């Protein structure tokens, strides 16, 4: 299954221009002394982004055929795990994330998958949180998990 | 002389030597793991020093510090993922060399340049500490602003072929560094009412996201690409003839690092970028920089390791810690009865000289331990790619959340990783993003303080002092040189144009 996407480089340049413009609005609405440098930097950002967008438009960068990729799945899992860490601690979101990463990188036999998940996620968490006492986000206030 | 001999005796006691070996080896390994840098290393080892005597405990911590700065270069070269921000500039030439099958040569140069920079800065520390400390205090806000502007020029250098995109990434990094409370007025910037954002973005989550997580995403996307395989790590020290040929680059990088390290508030990452920017202008092989040229590794590694020695100058001589790492080292010194400050050399001369000798031994230990340490990484990277990638993801999260204990940093790392992946696909060089984030806060604070000193007159910066004028003239000359050489390249035809961004992006 493949679909065609319209000029991803142009879209990226426009997206960056949009972000720069949005931040510029915030900078111009903020206190002038604290926002002096941000205003200058964001003006350069917007100007450069416009130039890049025009260049990409003129160049007519080729369209890219998108095929099915597991990458968005990994990206979403990484983001979900990062968001969950604040609420359910480090260990619980790490286990499925490591299992999924291993699976996507073709470690699919059940025993190595389970052992590696336990060792990489659980082992590193135990090493840092309990042995080296580098405190990672916890589920319980006591910090045990 | 008796004091120095007694200090040497203190530094070569067997317990101290064991502490040096353990600390340096652990530092190399910790530095090589993405996200875990000098701060995490020192945090882990500080509690172990409480039962030790002064020299032994400092030997352990100095070993961890110096080892971690060097260790960051190993993964920077092998998988385009700097273990520490200090080694970000090493990826510019280290990873292209790996792609060309010259990984042993790249690691050899990184190791030797780190050793050379470290030892030269120790020698300078021993002989010139008081003079350097006196000169360093002449660097006020305006001089630091000029120096950081000079370092910013390397954005142009690492973005050849896509200068606009490099500039945009540099601005992005700069804006990332502005999020949170303004350091001068205390006003919130780009927090959008979120309390969590008021503490701003730390450098470590951004670096691990930009380089390490985006590399994992890249390798998943290119998993059928043979070039995406992790190379077998090996080390080959450069031939003496090669060392002689590049001696000027080694000395220049080491001097830059030694000098920048002596300035409070700069640090090894800034020093590496400044040294790289200077190499782009002065190296006889500058046209190959960014495409797998050892001079790039030498500039970055000799400079960032030279900082490890000279950063003790303001710490010991003035009692001013230059960055978080030296602040932690200073805390450890105070715990163990060393009181940094102007009286230190008079009151505790033997201890100070013993620390200098320890620093030299640590650099020798680093050279000796580099081979077995790289052997360990070779063993790790021989594992199937899935295990390595899952480990990198975990270390990214551990590194991100352990720096400040803020779970939001994991989200910052994840989002930066996704952004960096999109930027790589769009042909944007990533290095300027980190350069902007490292240098941005110093540029802004020195500019605003300078404007306060000059009462809002920016033109006054150029005539503020002899040092400032010299630095601004240098910047002008570098800009003219860059413009002239790019015009000359354009006249010479498209065949001579380099495509640096490609080598940095991959």
């Amino acid at each position: 299954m493949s679909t065609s996407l319209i000029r991803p480089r142009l879209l990226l340049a426009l997206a960056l221009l949009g972000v720069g413009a949005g931040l510029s609005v915030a900078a111009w609405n903020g206190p002038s002394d604290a926002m002096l440098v941000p205003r200058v930097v964001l003006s350069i950002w917007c100007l450069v982004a416009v130039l890049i967008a025009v260049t990409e438009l003129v160049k007519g960068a080729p369209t890219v055929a998108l095929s099915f990729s597991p990458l968005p799945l990994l990206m979403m899992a990484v983001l979900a795990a990062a968001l969950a860490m604040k609420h359910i601690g480090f260990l619980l979101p790490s286990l499925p994330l490591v299992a999924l990463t291993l699976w996507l990188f073709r470690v699919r036999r059940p025993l190595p998958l389970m052992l590696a998940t336990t060792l990489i996620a659980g082992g590193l968490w135990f090493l840092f949180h309990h042995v080296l006492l580098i405190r990672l986000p916890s589920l319980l206030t006591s910090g045990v998990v | 002389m008796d004091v120095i001999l007694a200090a040497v005796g203190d530094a070569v006691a067997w317990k101290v030597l064991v502490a040096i070996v353990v600390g340096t080896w652990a530092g190399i390994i910790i530095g090589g793991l993405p996200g875990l840098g000098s701060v995490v290393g020192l945090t882990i080892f500080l509690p172990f020093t409480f039962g030790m005597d002064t020299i032994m405990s400092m030997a352990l911590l100095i070993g961890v510090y110096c080892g971690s700065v060097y260790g960051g270069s190993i993964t920077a070269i092998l998988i385009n993922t700097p273990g520490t921000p200090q080694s970000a500039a090493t990826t510019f030439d280290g990873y292209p060399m790996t792609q060309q099958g010259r990984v042993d040569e790249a690691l050899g140069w990184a190791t030797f340049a780190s050793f050379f920079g470290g030892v030269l800065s120790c020698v300078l520390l021993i002989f010139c500490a008081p003079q350097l400390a006196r000169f360093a205090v002449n660097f006020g806000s305006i001089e630091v602003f000029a120096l950081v502007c000079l370092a910013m020029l390397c954005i142009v250098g690492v973005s050849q072929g896509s200068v606009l995109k490099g500039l945009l990434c540099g601005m992005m990094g700069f804006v990332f560094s502005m999020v949170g409370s303004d350091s001068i007025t205390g006003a919130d910037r780009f927090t959008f009412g979120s309390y969590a954002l008021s503490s701003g973005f730390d450098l470590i989550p951004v670096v691990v996201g930009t380089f390490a997580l985006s590399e994992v995403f890249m390798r998943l996307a290119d998993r059928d690409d043979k070039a995406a395989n992790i190379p077998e790590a090996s080390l080959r020290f450069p031939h003496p003839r090669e060392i002689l040929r590049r001696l000027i680059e080694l000395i220049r990088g080491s001097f830059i690092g030694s000098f920048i390290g002596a300035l409070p508030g700069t640090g090894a990452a800034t020093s590496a970028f400044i040294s790289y920017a200077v190499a782009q202008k002065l190296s006889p092989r500058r046209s190959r920089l960014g495409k797998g040229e050892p001079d790039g590794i030498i500039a970055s590694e000799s400079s960032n390791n030279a900082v490890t020695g000279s950063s003790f100058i303001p710490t010991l001589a003035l009692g001013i810690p230059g960055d978080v790492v030296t602040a932690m080292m200073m805390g450890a010194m105070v715990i163990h009865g060393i009181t940094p400050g102007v009286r230190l050399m008079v009151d505790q001369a033997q201890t100070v000289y013993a620390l200098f000798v320890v620093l030299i031994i640590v650099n020798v230990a680093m050279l000796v331990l580099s081979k077995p340490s790289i052997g360990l990484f070779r063993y790790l990277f021989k594992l199937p790619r899935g295990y390595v990638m899952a480990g990198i993801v975990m270390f990214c999260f551990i590194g991100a959340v352990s720096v400040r204990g803020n779970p939001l940093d994991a989200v910052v790392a994840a989002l930066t990783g996704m952004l960096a992946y999109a930027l790589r696909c769009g042909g944007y060089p990533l290095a300027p993003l980190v350069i902007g984030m490292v240098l941005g806060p110093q540029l802004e604070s020195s500019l605003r303080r300078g404007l306060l000193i000059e009462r809002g007159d920016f033109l006054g910066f150029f005539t503020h002092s002899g040092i400032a004028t010299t630095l601004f003239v240098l910047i002008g000359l570098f800009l003219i040189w860059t413009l002239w050489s790019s015009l000359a390249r354009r006249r010479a035809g498209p065949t001579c144009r380099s495509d640096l961004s490609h080598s940095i992006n991959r």
Side-chain angles (χ1 to χ4, degrees):
Chain A
M1 187 187 82
S2 72
T3 53
S4 161
L5 189 72
I6 308 161
R7 296 189 185 183
R9 288 187 175 212
L10 178 62
L11 285 178
L12 180 61
L14 290 174
L16 292 173
L17 175 62
V19 172
L23 290 173
S24 294
V25 172
W28 284 98
N29 286 332
S32 58
D33 46 354
M35 286 295 188
L36 173 72
V37 178
R39 284 173 191 171
V40 176
V41 172
L42 285 163
S43 301
I44 300 172
W45 172 326
C46 291
L47 181 71
V48 173
V50 168
L51 289 174
I52 292 171
V54 170
T55 312
E56 298 288 7
L57 195 67
V58 172
K59 262 200 310 199
T63 56
V64 172
L66 277 184
S67 56
F68 173 76
S69 163
L71 185 60
L73 183 64
L74 181 62
M75 284 180 167
M76 286 305 117
V78 166
L79 186 59
L83 286 166
M85 270 176 200
K86 188 183 175 186
H87 306 286
I88 57 172
F90 185 88
L91 180 63
L92 292 181
S94 299
L95 289 165
L97 175 64
V98 168
L100 180 71
T101 309
L102 289 165
W103 175 266
L104 292 176
F105 278 98
R106 294 175 182 169
V107 179
R108 291 182 180 173
R109 281 186 299 146
L111 189 62
L113 184 68
M114 265 167 40
L115 279 177
T117 302
T118 313
L119 204 68
I120 295 172
L124 286 176
W125 167 79
F126 186 77
L127 175 70
F128 280 86
H129 193 72
H130 287 293
V131 179
L132 300 174
L133 299 178
I134 302 277
R135 287 297 176 194
L136 301 171
S138 306
L139 171 65
L140 304 175
T141 44
S142 63
V144 176
V145 179
Chain B
M1 196 63 193
D2 289 344
V3 173
I4 293 175
L5 285 176
V8 172
D10 287 347
V12 297
W14 71 269
K15 281 195 295 189
V16 176
L17 293 177
V18 169
I20 287 173
V21 170
V22 171
T24 309
W25 192 73
I28 295 173
I29 303 301
I30 291 168
L33 298 172
L36 308 185
S38 311
V39 176
V40 172
L42 290 173
T43 310
I44 291 170
F45 278 88
L46 188 61
F48 292 109
T49 67
F50 293 153
M52 299 177 184
D53 65 45
T54 307
I55 304 296
M56 192 181 169
S57 59
M58 292 315 297
L60 184 74
L61 296 178
I62 290 172
V64 171
Y65 175 33
C66 296
S68 62
V69 174
Y70 159 67
S73 68
I74 298 173
T75 39
I77 289 169
L78 287 176
I79 53 170
N80 200 25
T81 301
T84 57
Q86 295 98 312
S87 298
T90 308
T91 57
F92 302 165
D93 285 277
Y95 191 60
M97 283 179 80
T98 298
Q99 288 180 305
Q100 294 158 14
R102 295 158 65 201
V103 62
D104 53 345
E105 191 188 344
L107 286 170
W109 274 114
T111 307
F112 185 77
S114 300
F115 163 75
F116 191 92
V119 170
L120 195 79
S121 80
C122 293
V123 174
L124 281 173
L125 181 67
I126 292 168
F127 292 105
C128 311
Q131 292 86 344
L132 263 172
R134 268 200 298 275
F135 184 63
V137 292
N138 291 325
F139 268 71
S141 297
I142 294 170
E143 288 80 7
V144 170
F145 173 74
L147 196 67
V148 176
C149 284
L150 191 68
M152 278 282 191
L153 288 180
C154 81
I155 286 183
V156 179
V158 299
S159 316
Q160 280 178 24
S162 54
V163 176
L164 280 178
K165 290 179 175 176
L167 196 58
L168 185 57
C169 285
M171 295 302 125
M172 256 186 261
F174 204 160
V175 172
F176 282 176
S177 73
M178 291 169 183
V179 175
S181 298
D182 175 32
S183 59
I184 294 179
T185 63
D188 278 349
R189 301 194 296 187
F190 307 118
T191 59
F192 306 105
S194 162
Y195 176 71
L197 281 174
S198 59
S199 57
F201 295 159
D202 191 78
L203 180 63
I204 301 285
V206 174
V207 170
V208 295
T210 304
F211 288 104
L213 278 181
S214 77
E215 190 65 32
V216 173
F217 296 152
M218 211 75 197
R219 282 170 194 267
L220 183 62
D222 293 347
R223 58 184 172 171
D224 295 325
D225 180 8
K226 278 185 182 166
N229 288 329
I230 298 164
E232 189 161 302
S234 55
L235 182 143
R236 180 169 61 81
F237 285 115
H239 192 274
R241 209 179 312 125
E242 272 293 297
I243 294 171
L244 281 177
R245 201 158 77 91
R246 298 175 197 272
L247 193 61
I248 302 289
E249 278 65 44
L250 281 161
I251 293 172
R252 189 172 51 228
S254 307
F255 268 101
I256 290 172
S258 300
F259 178 68
I260 303 292
L263 303 176
T266 44
T270 308
S271 156
F273 288 129
I274 291 177
S275 178
Y276 195 84
V278 173
Q280 282 173 331
K281 302 296 166 204
L282 300 183
S283 164
R285 294 160 287 275
R286 57 184 171 274
S287 61
R288 296 206 297 267
L289 278 181
K291 289 182 269 185
E293 168 56 46
D295 281 3
I297 297 175
I298 291 170
S300 164
E301 285 302 309
S302 59
S303 167
N304 68 20
N305 277 272
V307 169
T308 57
S310 61
S311 62
F312 283 100
I313 292 173
T315 311
L316 292 175
L318 305 171
I320 304 168
D323 53 20
V324 185
V325 179
T326 42
M328 288 185 76
M329 295 291 290
M330 195 170 135
M333 285 177 196
V334 173
I335 289 169
H336 290 284
I338 305 172
T339 314
V342 285
R343 294 282 309 164
L344 182 67
M345 286 299 285
V346 181
D347 297 340
Q348 290 169 295
Q350 187 175 325
T351 307
V352 174
Y353 278 114
L355 293 185
F356 294 166
V357 178
V358 163
L359 258 171
I360 293 177
I361 300 173
V362 162
N363 280 288
V364 176
M366 206 167 70
L367 194 69
V368 176
L369 292 169
S370 59
K371 212 150 193 168
S373 306
I374 287 170
L376 182 71
F377 280 99
R378 172 167 44 194
Y379 174 74
L380 282 177
F381 290 152
K382 263 186 183 172
L383 292 169
R385 201 146 49 115
Y387 301 130
V388 178
M389 292 299 135
I392 289 175
V393 171
M394 273 302 92
F395 277 116
C396 286
F397 277 139
I398 292 170
V401 297
S402 63
V403 180
R404 303 188 296 181
N406 185 353
L408 179 75
D409 285 338
V411 182
V412 172
L415 290 174
T416 317
M418 289 155 75
L419 172 71
Y421 175 77
L423 292 173
R424 287 170 84 154
C425 293
Y428 291 76
L430 295 181
L433 197 147
V434 177
I435 296 172
M437 179 120 191
V438 170
L439 301 179
Q442 290 171 48
L443 189 81
E444 187 186 3
S445 62
S446 58
L447 170 69
R448 288 170 66 189
R449 287 199 190 102
L451 284 172
L452 287 173
I453 293 166
E454 291 292 331
R455 297 178 187 194
D457 178 20
F458 183 70
L459 291 177
F461 278 41
F462 299 97
T463 51
H464 177 74
S465 67
I467 297 170
T469 309
T470 309
L471 287 168
F472 282 119
V473 168
L474 268 177
I475 291 167
L477 287 175
F478 276 11
L479 280 175
I480 292 167
W481 191 337
T482 306
L483 203 65
W484 181 80
S485 56
S486 91
L487 283 174
R489 259 205 310 274
R490 195 163 290 179
R491 271 203 299 269
T495 49
C496 294
R497 291 167 93 177
S498 58
D499 188 9
L500 246 170
S501 59
H502 177 73
S503 62
I504 291 165
N505 287 333
R506 284 295 301 118

